[in-house]
Amino acid sequence: MFVGPQDLDLPVIPLLAVFVAAVSIGESVILGKRVSGNHPAVVNAVAMTIGAFGLLGLSAVVGEQWALPRQPAVVWSLVYLVTLGSVGLFVLILLVVRRWTASATSYAFVLFPVVTMALGAWLADEPLTLDGVVGAVLVMAGVWFGALSPAARRATDIGEPRSPAAVESP
């Protein structure tokens, strides 16, 4: 959410992984828009199956050891992640994509870190840092000026083609 001078020495591989994740999320919204006529459960089943096989394959390639969780906290975290955290979120995003443009839907992803930071402070007593709060304010301001402000809406309206019914006859 906020990068200070101490954070500029970043390892390349994790930075590339974050970049690929962001591109993948953006592409998933675009693809979700294209298949939005299908039922969200069907789209979710296909996407999650492909994703699961991809992750299992990658896990096998790097030699990770597979084991079922045994600690109750880990089991409940996994249950949440599989149900609400992935399937539930995926279905909700598909429902939003049906009603909004892909570009407008992408602004929801910008707000995830802000919500995560607030929930972390509330549920896990994680400290709110000045860097995090400044980053959250910058994100919220960027969303406002980039998408929600009256000026941004007018700019979007100007760039959209008008329907034949809106064109006045001479």
Side-chain angles (χ1 to χ4, degrees):
M1 297 224 353
F2 188 83
V3 176
Q6 72 278 7
D7 300 321
L8 293 179
D9 186 24
L10 301 172
V12 174
I13 299 297
L15 190 60
L16 286 174
V18 169
F19 175 75
V20 168
V23 170
S24 297
I25 288 170
E27 184 63 26
S28 71
V29 170
I30 293 168
L31 287 173
K33 186 70 174 174
R34 287 188 174 214
V35 298
S36 66
N38 297 323
H39 194 280
V42 172
V43 175
N44 187 48
V46 171
M48 291 294 184
T49 301
I50 293 169
F53 280 116
L55 290 174
L56 283 171
L58 184 60
S59 173
V61 166
V62 298
E64 290 183 334
Q65 185 178 15
W66 297 350
L68 292 175
R70 296 177 189 205
Q71 299 169 325
V74 176
V75 170
W76 285 112
S77 297
L78 190 59
V79 166
Y80 164 77
L81 182 64
V82 169
T83 57
L84 297 176
S86 59
V87 174
L89 180 63
F90 189 84
V91 169
L92 288 174
I93 291 295
L94 285 176
L95 291 174
V96 168
V97 165
R98 282 186 175 180
R99 289 164 180 79
W100 292 0
T101 65
S103 297
T105 304
S106 68
Y107 280 104
F109 293 102
V110 174
L111 300 177
F112 287 172
V114 176
V115 173
T116 301
M117 186 176 69
L119 287 174
W122 177 47
L123 297 173
D125 292 325
E126 293 177 353
L128 289 176
T129 64
L130 180 61
D131 287 351
V133 172
V134 168
V137 169
L138 287 173
V139 166
M140 300 302 271
V143 169
W144 169 256
F145 289 112
L148 304 176
S149 71
R153 289 183 183 169
R154 279 192 303 274
T156 301
D157 291 342
I158 291 171
E160 293 180 351
R162 297 192 315 178
S163 67
V167 178
E168 297 180 51
S169 59

